[in-house]
Amino acid sequence: MKATILSVLLLLIVSTLSAQRITGPISPHFQQWLQANGYASNDFNRRDLGSSGSFGGRADENQKIVNQPVVFVHGNSDLALQKDAISTYQTGWDQTAAFFLKEGYTAAELYATTWGPAQSSQALQQTYKCEYVLRIRRFIEAVLAYTNASKIDVIGHSMGVAIARRAVKGGSECNLGAALTNRVDTFLGLAGVNYGLCTCQYAGIITTCNANDGFFPGQCGSQSICAFTLQECVQTQYATFMQNLNEDPTKEGDNIFAFWSNSDEILGQGSKAFGKVTARIPNMNGSKTYNSLKHMDVKDKTGADQLKAVRDHLIDMTDLPGGGFQGNGSSLPTWSLPDISGLISSGLAALQGGGRPENRANLPMLNLPDIPSFFSSSFQSISDSLKNLFNGRLIL
Ligand SMILES: *[C@@H]1O[C@H](CO)[C@@H](O)[C@H](O)[C@H]1NC(C)=O
Ligand SMILES: *[C@@H]1O[C@H](CO)[C@@H](O)[C@H](O)[C@H]1NC(C)=O
Ligand SMILES: *[C@@H]1O[C@H](CO)[C@@H](O)[C@H](O)[C@H]1NC(C)=O
């Protein structure tokens, strides 16, 4: 009898532990601290999003902070925590946070706020604008001050990668102030868009694709089609925000890593622009490539790898189906997008009429190179990506 009660109790404890999940919004203790320390107007809480708008904070003054705090920065139209059970592109940081909790972190060590409207219907209007960068900068500053941590880790996903990179690098671009490099132990970018998005090459008319603070991929040497490159070339004329970010030698932290997937339906085949990985971060220490993860999976299914990267500064190449390989994203095979000429001429002709990217006069007309047919298998990826765009569901 005793043994039965004991095992039932044990079972209860085990199942409670395994069901551990983070709850939002940020704790009342953190909320009070924010009010008292000049952050009231930032509304990091985001109560308009219910309990999904934010998370993190100590339960009370006595709760100790043991692990290095982590700040999470979500992507386009996503939010701090999952919106509902059915929104594919609004899954928040639930799964990553649950993993960190399971590994001994507490809610006092895990922080996120929502930086955008969190509406899929507004995804195509989102850009790397200063308002968002400043918000994330302020949030990072608040977490540093609130936790008294000498260093934190920063993990970004998708569009959140470049936003967080700029926030940490600081600088005059958005009047951000000094770099926070020496306050960041590890910066991890998941499926980021740092060198533009091929889907945006012929859709500069769409706000999110613009050439200032959008995802416009520019050109590589004299080549304007965002596919494989016939010879080594340097990518130029891509959106100013990303270009400034990549040319700024200030580092994002002591250790810099990036993860991406070959099957990312948003970033496109191989997550590449002009044959190189758009998710790479200049001067990063290492990276991991997944073969079969979708865009949101690179955030939602890689908790173990994220933890290893930020806590141990290690990348495990073996523990996911498909494995991964290490590299800096510049040395990967140069083939990337398949022949998209058919799609472009039929589908995008209408859009393109007058749809030149702002600030980038004379987008060269299509001059398609001969693309080997064996790459037609990757056609599906770009066509999905374009479909998302046309349906107004391009989410980054
Ligand atoms: C941070 O320092 C302040 C002032 O010394 C103190 O009141 C607060 O409890 C500390 N916070 C943590 C998380 O240790
Ligand atoms: C990453 O690179 C920096 C600078 O080269 C170095 O100080 C740091 O130790 C490296 N981190 C890892 C995990 O190798
Ligand atoms: C990337 O790696 C390749 C080969 O491993 C190397 O030649 C190249 O200089 C590296 N690029 C950067 C930006 O580190």
Side-chain angles (χ1 to χ4, degrees), residues 251 253-257 283-286 312-314:
K251 299 193 76 175
D254 296 340
N255 307 283
I256 305 169
F257 299 107
N283 303 310
M284 62 189 176
N285 292 88
D312 311 327
H313 310 146
L314 287 174

Side-chain angles (χ1 to χ4, degrees), residues 16-252:
T16 313
L17 277 179
S18 62
Q20 201 178 4
R21 59 185 300 267
I22 199 131
T23 51
I26 54 183
S27 73
H29 185 269
F30 186 25
Q31 182 62 24
Q32 274 158 26
W33 183 94
L34 289 167
Q35 298 290 331
N37 288 273
Y39 294 94
S41 64
N42 291 103
D43 185 27
F44 288 139
N45 187 318
R46 287 297 299 264
R47 275 221 180 269
D48 60 312
L49 299 170
S51 57
S52 299
S54 59
F55 62 82
R58 295 196 285 166
D60 55 49
E61 198 62 31
N62 300 319
Q63 187 176 8
K64 293 265 175 295
I65 291 174
V66 181
N67 295 291
Q68 201 157 57
V70 187
V71 170
F72 299 93
V73 185
H74 64 76
N76 187 353
S77 303
D78 202 353
L79 59 178
L81 291 170
Q82 186 176 46
K83 188 163 201 164
D84 52 50
I86 53 161
S87 305
T88 317
Y89 290 106
Q90 297 178 304
T91 53
W93 291 101
D94 299 59
Q95 294 186 59
T96 298
F99 190 86
F100 276 64
L101 290 177
K102 191 157 73 83
E103 297 295 312
Y105 279 71
T106 68
E109 297 154 353
L110 304 170
Y111 293 85
T113 185
T114 300
W115 55 256
Q119 301 291 336
S120 309
S121 58
Q122 292 177 43
L124 297 180
Q125 272 78 57
Q126 303 312 309
T127 62
Y128 290 125
K129 56 183 169 188
C130 285
E131 178 194 332
Y132 298 150
V133 178
L134 277 162
R135 177 175 179 78
I136 292 305
R137 166 78 179 207
R138 288 275 289 165
F139 188 65
I140 291 173
E141 287 172 353
V143 171
L144 280 165
Y146 173 68
T147 59
N148 297 333
S150 58
K151 287 178 196 279
I152 56 165
D153 296 313
V154 177
I155 303 180
H157 175 246
S158 197
M159 194 175 163
V161 175
I163 290 176
R165 286 179 62 205
R166 183 82 271 169
V168 172
K169 284 177 185 242
S172 57
E173 183 154 328
C174 298
N175 281 319
L176 290 162
L180 295 173
T181 308
N182 61 4
R183 308 296 304 275
V184 177
D185 173 38
T186 301
F187 186 99
L188 172 60
L190 309 170
V193 186
N194 296 309
Y195 289 85
L197 195 64
C198 282
T199 319
C200 282
Q201 182 75 79
Y202 302 100
I205 191 175
I206 295 175
T207 306
T208 204
C209 288
N210 85 77
N212 292 322
D213 58 1
F215 306 114
F216 189 65
Q219 59 188 71
C220 203
S222 59
Q223 181 175 319
S224 67
I225 182 166
C226 190
F228 68 90
T229 57
L230 293 171
Q231 61 266 312
E232 266 307 305
C233 57
V234 176
Q235 193 180 344
T236 56
Q237 304 285 298
Y238 59 106
T240 314
F241 179 89
M242 291 181 290
Q243 203 162 338
N244 288 346
L245 198 52
N246 296 334
E247 288 168 3
D248 177 349
T250 314
K251 299 193 76 175
E252 291 84 353

